[in-house]
Amino acid sequence: MRILVLGAGALGGYFGARLLEAGAELAFLVRPGRQAQLRRDGLSVRCPALGDWRQPVTALLAGEVRPGWDVVLLSCKAYDLDTAIEAVRPAVGPETAVLPVLNGLSHIDTLRAAFGEAAVLGGLARIRATLTPDGEVRNLSDWRALAFGELDGRMTPRVEALAALARRGGILAEAVPDIRAAMWAKLVHLGTVAAATVLMRGSTGQIARAPGGVDFMHRLLERNIAIAAAHGVAMPPSFAAEYRAMLADPAAGYTASMLRDLEQGGRIEADHILGHLLAAAERAGVERDLHALACLHARTYEERRAEEKARRKAAAGRAA
């Protein structure tokens, strides 16, 4: 199976490495700086469950992409979706499956408009990974799951073949018939943890140890479950029980990737996760105060980041 992975960061780098290990004919589509790094050092992955991995890999730039890929795996951030679409467009042929594992749900309609309904799969990843400044991919836990499927619910040979290949590489992969429900479940989970950890600037365990912290996170969870239900996807009781227990664990060090990006001064997916849930709460008639506060907090950070970036650029111009 020929697979093109957009990006070789925390998510794309990890799953790409595992698919290479499974025998895929695979290349990474990256920016020039990352291409130079990969060509010089190879791709290095650390994983507590499967061990460390380092190999030379094929790294392409946008202008080097040609048709002929069976699967294009999109592992970009949601705010880079428009750029990603143009980068992979030359790779997408009549038989190519486009598999996004972005956070949220709004990207599905954008991709179907770009490539056609038949091309686009639904997908999600469950992994806690990061890319270090020296280019190493580190899985921070034993999570390494991928779920994907046809958006019309059919089980097709292409999703079954991809799941089998991924499992050979050690990925906990599953082709599922109702991928939309699975994506909503992830959004409920991620939206709760992202809103809580970004707003409070701490892990779920640190929030839980603070008076009122568990109740705050449980209210967020319950409202997100209500939002999903209002949009036609009911979370089973076991889902609520699992995440209520996780959020109440005072020893947990769990943070959303949004918080890690924020603490590193990077861009964050405020509109694509928190803004999406805020709009969904308004449509559903669910109390929106917590979502509005979390979204305001994240958008204020983005405004401050933009101002600081502009100041640095102006100062550099004056110095020149």
Side-chain angles (χ1 to χ4, degrees):
M1 182 175 286
R2 301 194 73 225
I3 301 175
L4 180 67
V5 180
L6 178 69
L11 195 155
Y14 183 84
F15 288 119
R18 300 275 78 97
L19 289 164
L20 278 169
E21 200 165 34
E25 183 181 347
L26 184 143
F28 296 95
L29 175 55
V30 295
R31 294 186 175 96
R34 184 61 166 149
Q35 183 192 57
Q37 191 175 50
L38 291 170
R39 288 183 172 178
R40 182 185 67 244
D41 303 328
L43 178 62
S44 177
V45 175
R46 291 187 179 274
C47 177
L50 300 177
D52 298 344
W53 184 96
R54 181 191 288 271
Q55 282 190 21
V57 295
T58 300
L60 305 175
L61 299 179
E64 300 171 333
V65 174
R66 300 292 182 268
W69 302 93
D70 299 309
V71 177
V72 173
L73 177 64
L74 296 183
S75 62
C76 61
K77 292 289 189 179
Y79 47 69
D80 284 330
L81 181 60
D82 291 343
T83 303
I85 287 172
E86 294 311 310
V88 304
R89 194 181 292 279
V92 179
E95 304 301 320
T96 305
V98 178
L99 172 55
V101 286
L102 285 70
N103 293 320
L105 292 162
S106 59
H107 60 278
I108 293 295
D109 289 341
T110 303
L111 288 169
R112 295 179 89 173
F115 299 117
E117 293 188 3
V120 182
L121 304 175
L124 58 90
R126 190 170 188 254
I127 185 170
R128 291 178 61 208
T130 191
L131 182 68
T132 67
D134 62 358
E136 182 178 76
V137 175
R138 292 183 182 174
N139 190 343
L140 305 176
S141 72
D142 61 356
W143 291 3
R144 56 191 190 281
L146 277 179
F148 45 83
E150 303 285 353
L151 290 163
D152 62 7
R154 293 178 299 128
M155 293 299 292
T156 58
R158 66 181 183 177
V159 297
E160 292 174 334
L162 180 58
L165 175 70
R167 286 193 290 268
R168 288 201 297 273
I171 299 170
L172 305 177
E174 185 180 10
V176 299
D178 193 353
I179 189 61
R180 284 189 183 275
M183 292 170 71
W184 261 109
K186 181 178 180 182
L187 182 59
V188 168
H189 158 215
L190 176 62
T192 301
V193 176
T197 62
V198 167
L199 191 56
M200 298 302 167
R201 299 293 181 95
S203 69
T204 57
Q206 290 165 339
I207 300 169
R209 295 197 297 272
V214 172
D215 179 65
F216 162 71
M217 290 188 288
H218 283 176
R219 277 187 288 141
L220 266 174
L221 176 66
E222 288 157 6
R223 291 180 188 181
N224 285 332
I225 289 172
I227 291 168
H231 287 79
V233 181
M235 298 294 116
S238 58
F239 176 95
E242 176 186 355
Y243 285 104
R244 284 179 67 86
M246 182 196 78
L247 295 170
D249 181 3
Y254 188 18
T255 61
S257 60
M258 188 184 297
L259 176 63
R260 296 194 294 275
D261 291 339
L262 184 151
E263 290 179 333
Q264 292 170 7
R267 292 182 70 184
I268 61 174
E269 297 174 309
D271 286 332
H272 307 90
I273 299 172
L274 303 180
H276 182 84
L277 280 168
L278 174 59
E282 291 170 344
R283 291 194 301 270
V286 172
E287 178 59 54
R288 61 187 292 280
D289 58 334
L290 298 180
H291 290 88
L293 185 60
C295 196
L296 175 62
H297 183 92
R299 286 170 173 165
T300 302
Y301 160 79
E302 289 187 323
E303 292 295 329
R304 180 179 178 182
R305 179 178 178 274
E307 285 186 2
E308 290 174 348
K309 184 176 180 181
R311 280 198 296 269
R312 288 195 298 270
K313 184 177 179 180
R318 290 193 298 270

